[in-house]
Amino acid sequence: MKIIKLNAIDSTNSFLKDLAQNSTLENYTVAITEDQTKGRGQQESKWVTAPLKNLTFSIFVKFNKLRINQKRYLNFAISLAIYDALLEKKIDKISIKWPNDIMAANKKICGILIENTFIGDRIKNSITGIGLNVNQEIFPEYLKNVTSLKLEKGFDFNLNNLLNDILIKIQEKIKLLENNEFDLLENSYLNVLYKKNIPTMFKNCQNEIFIGIIYGISTDGKLQIQLEDDSIKEFGIKEVSFL
């Protein structure tokens, strides 16, 4: 595994994408920065992080037989890797909020952005960006419901050790993916899915508020919500939010 350490960069995902276009990258190449100035989240949202306090890195992974219609399992694998790493740190009440935010109780502690390159009907490779709040204690006021490992546990974490722990977990979960352990990944993901089986208030993209129960994940990765009339409706990213 090759780890590229950067003092500052706009986006580690963008850095690895440019590198992959201009050279042959070793599998599991990692780019990590002390200061990410233009971090990106889902649907072009921003990921804001304080320099030298957190983990902001991206990892390049090659695939030989993973099909596009199986990409939800990649999301399950990466999310579970972060979840398992934090579980070992005894972070209380952690869960995965669809599609791949990591929560500590009701506060976001980690964001994940997966960007894939396709060839035919297969995923050729993926670049996964991970932003984990580690030792940061003060966040901008406009960032609501966020937390960090230090806020949860009360002490500083060693960033290098934490990175190594997470990379080991990612490799373990990718191995499950490559061994076609799809049911195991899906069941493990659903077992720790935020608010699953709990009546919850949602808001759709028309700003309509409704009550539903998270039922599962569809074959194309959409969130399935059981409505009050027992029907199941599917929502894509940014089509529904929690209240």
Side-chain angles (χ1 to χ4, degrees):
M1 178 180 293
K2 182 178 182 181
I3 298 179
I4 304 169
K5 295 186 177 181
L6 307 163
N7 290 330
I9 194 73
D10 54 354
S11 162
T12 53
N13 259 39
S14 297
F15 174 83
L16 279 186
K17 285 171 70 176
D18 291 342
L19 208 58
Q21 289 177 355
N22 298 302
S23 61
T24 301
L25 284 187
E26 178 184 328
N27 201 16
Y28 292 106
T29 294
V30 175
I32 182 168
T33 183
E34 295 177 343
D35 184 9
Q36 184 167 246
T37 58
K38 294 181 180 178
R40 294 180 289 119
Q42 296 285 355
Q43 299 289 300
E44 301 305 319
S45 60
K46 294 181 179 180
W47 181 261
V48 180
T49 182
L52 303 173
K53 295 283 188 180
N54 306 306
L55 281 180
T56 48
F57 67 97
S58 298
I59 182 167
F60 172 87
V61 181
K62 298 178 183 177
F63 297 101
N64 293 319
K65 57 182 181 179
L66 186 65
R67 299 192 178 278
I68 294 174
N69 61 9
Q70 297 169 329
K71 67 179 181 178
R72 68 188 184 280
Y73 299 113
L74 172 59
N75 181 56
F76 297 163
I78 298 295
S79 303
L80 287 167
I82 309 299
Y83 173 91
D84 284 357
L86 297 189
L87 191 65
E88 289 188 353
K89 305 302 177 187
K90 302 187 185 305
I91 306 302
D92 292 334
K93 298 180 179 178
I94 59 169
S95 60
I96 301 171
K97 182 180 176 183
W98 177 85
N100 48 29
D101 286 341
I102 309 299
M103 307 292 288
N106 292 315
K107 295 182 178 181
K108 183 174 177 177
I109 199 168
C110 180
I112 299 169
L113 175 66
I114 302 174
E115 297 182 296
N116 298 310
T117 299
F118 308 117
I119 180 168
D121 65 347
R122 295 184 294 108
I123 298 176
K124 180 182 178 182
N125 56 59
S126 73
I127 295 173
T128 297
I130 295 168
L132 174 62
N133 297 330
V134 184
N135 295 323
Q136 187 169 345
E137 296 179 89
I138 300 173
F139 294 87
E141 289 187 4
Y142 63 86
L143 288 179
K144 305 297 183 184
N145 297 323
V146 296
T147 188
S148 68
L149 297 187
K150 184 171 183 179
L151 287 175
E152 294 299 312
K153 300 300 293 183
F155 54 82
D156 282 330
F157 285 76
N158 183 290
L159 295 179
N160 287 329
N161 292 344
L162 186 58
L163 173 65
N164 289 335
D165 292 342
I166 291 172
L167 294 179
I168 289 171
K169 293 296 183 185
I170 289 176
Q171 288 178 297
E172 289 176 355
K173 298 303 180 185
I174 294 297
K175 180 174 280 190
L176 291 178
L177 189 63
E178 292 173 337
N179 290 337
N180 298 327
E181 297 282 358
F182 300 134
D183 288 343
L184 175 60
L185 288 168
E186 183 165 15
N187 290 334
S188 298
Y189 179 91
L190 293 177
N191 283 339
V192 297
L193 191 57
Y194 180 72
K195 297 289 188 180
K196 188 172 187 295
N197 296 328
I198 299 173
T200 303
M201 294 187 70
F202 299 92
K203 182 171 69 173
N204 63 22
C205 52
Q206 286 81 40
N207 288 321
E208 298 168 334
I209 296 172
F210 64 96
I211 295 176
I213 296 174
I214 292 177
Y215 179 82
I217 307 298
S218 71
T219 55
D220 55 354
K222 292 184 177 181
L223 184 67
Q224 297 174 321
I225 298 177
Q226 184 176 1
L227 305 179
E228 290 182 283
D229 62 1
D230 289 335
S231 63
I232 306 294
K233 188 168 183 179
E234 297 180 356
F235 296 87
I237 296 174
K238 300 298 184 182
E239 292 180 351
V240 69
S241 59
F242 293 85
L243 285 182

